[in-house]
Amino acid sequence: MIHDPAVPRRDALLRPETMAGVVSQRLRDGVPVERCERRYVKYRAGESLRVVYRCDGEWVAARTGRRDGVAAPEVGAALYPFPHDRKLDLAAVGRTLDAGVTPHLVAWAAEQSATFECRDPSGHVLAYARVQPDAAPWPAFGAVRAPRVLRAEAGVLLLEALEGVRLDRAAGQGLAALGAALAQLHAAALGFTLPRFTRADPERLDTAAEVIARVRPDVAPAAQRLLARLLDRAEAREPVLIHGDANLRNALLTADGTVALLDLEDLSLGPAAADLGQVLAALIATRAPHGAQALLRGYGDPPDAAALRWHTAAALLARQALPAVSRHRPVLLARLRELLDAGSA
């Protein structure tokens, strides 16, 4: 990625080895950090950068452009050791849980959301707690398997703990079951109001191509070529209930072979092909396109080929190539041209 004058220490902030030294000096009085893992990135090119690290089991967020927090001028940022968060009340989880139940942080998107395992004294996970400013419970969908909302209060959702394996860790298993789960969701009756799906809107696609081109000018022609093809063949289909962020991380393969859908906060009204296209784009990005047959076979009666192609290409641009930059995914960054060309094809 080219130099960003608005975030001049970007590369240092993204480097675990550098941040291990910064955390050691600024938060530990020089005590060395043995293991430093980058767990979350939110990069707004030309604006700001947020990064969350887990250092020897302790969590810390770094944010550029802030004057509060613990100053770390060597990387042009401020540090926010857990549970300090500028926008989330992370302590609210402890106030929500029953006596004897302890929250353990497992994911933290600083200023956006956090997920906790809620464990009993023996360490058994009883539930998951999700903290986010606009946390709201989702309804039940009949045959669709999803974690039940056990409690909702003060920006905290307490969710049923389902047992299984996430599909991104299932070695290609469960794709047919995921297709079946999405088909059930898309066929569910709507008895509530939902926002319109907007991730494939022209302005969102245009922004994705512009950000990619700004940070990686070497692939700008490929991004613009894909954008032009998408805008030339815009898709508009009958809206149904869709997941809104369908991917292998948000699907859990259970012991009986069915798939439960996770993280339903992006439920919306949109074309069925938007969910399927995002999964298909992920299979292309992970070089597992053969999984498409199982996914669509499980779905049963998928949308027509033109809609699937369009939404797969749109997802390659906005949900694979763009996050390679904004979420700093080095493997995909190295393959940006390949992803964009796949979308055009």
Side-chain angles (χ1 to χ4, degrees), residues 16-302:
E17 296 82 2
T18 299
M19 291 305 297
V22 172
V23 170
S24 169
Q25 293 302 314
R26 299 295 175 182
L27 299 179
R28 293 188 169 193
D29 294 327
V31 176
V33 171
E34 299 296 330
R35 182 179 178 85
C36 189
E37 305 170 90
R38 189 177 58 240
R39 301 298 291 268
Y40 171 80
V41 175
K42 181 61 175 179
Y43 173 43
R44 296 183 182 274
E47 297 181 24
S48 64
L49 174 63
R50 276 179 277 149
V51 191
V52 175
Y53 283 94
R54 192 176 186 191
C55 300
D56 293 342
E58 298 180 356
W59 297 75
V60 58
R63 176 71 151 85
T64 63
R66 302 305 309 176
R67 297 183 182 277
D68 54 351
V70 178
E74 59 269 52
V75 288
L79 305 181
Y80 301 86
F82 175 81
H84 186 187
D85 190 292
R86 293 181 55 250
K87 296 183 179 180
L88 301 176
D89 180 8
L90 299 180
V93 174
R95 299 192 296 269
T96 302
L97 300 178
D98 296 333
V101 180
T102 306
H104 293 263
L105 184 66
V106 293
W108 183 19
E111 305 179 21
Q112 183 174 322
S113 66
T115 302
F116 295 79
E117 289 180 343
C118 304
R119 303 178 186 172
D120 66 14
S122 67
H124 179 68
V125 178
L126 301 174
Y128 286 89
R130 176 90 169 180
V131 182
Q132 58 190 72
D134 54 352
W138 49 76
F141 309 111
V144 180
R145 293 199 69 181
R148 289 181 297 113
V149 178
L150 305 176
R151 193 178 303 167
E153 56 184 72
V156 179
L157 288 183
L158 194 63
L159 304 171
E160 175 188 13
L162 298 177
E163 294 187 3
V165 180
R166 269 186 5 199
L167 259 61
D168 61 329
R169 303 169 180 168
Q173 300 299 307
L175 286 168
L178 173 58
L182 291 174
Q184 290 176 329
L185 180 67
H186 296 165
L190 288 174
F192 44 90
T193 302
L194 285 173
R196 183 181 66 85
F197 179 73
T198 61
R199 286 181 169 176
D201 283 0
E203 56 269 27
R204 299 285 289 269
L205 299 176
D206 184 74
T207 296
E210 189 275 330
V211 169
I212 293 167
R214 183 192 311 171
V215 176
R216 284 284 304 274
D218 58 310
V219 301
Q224 287 300 318
R225 183 164 54 249
L226 174 52
L227 175 65
R229 297 203 66 185
L230 288 167
L231 298 184
D232 185 53
R233 303 185 183 188
E235 284 288 319
R237 304 294 168 117
E238 186 70 23
V240 297
L241 173 63
I242 66 173
H243 185 284
D245 190 19
N247 61 67
L248 302 185
R249 296 184 306 278
N250 287 340
L252 190 76
L253 181 61
T254 62
D256 64 5
T258 61
V259 159
L261 300 177
L262 310 177
D263 293 344
L264 299 173
E265 60 266 19
D266 291 310
L267 282 172
S268 50
L269 294 178
D275 276 347
L276 291 168
Q278 184 167 336
V279 179
L280 292 171
L283 293 175
I284 292 171
T286 57
R287 292 176 170 158
H290 52 277
Q293 292 183 355
L295 176 75
L296 298 179
R297 183 176 66 251
Y299 192 87
D301 185 18

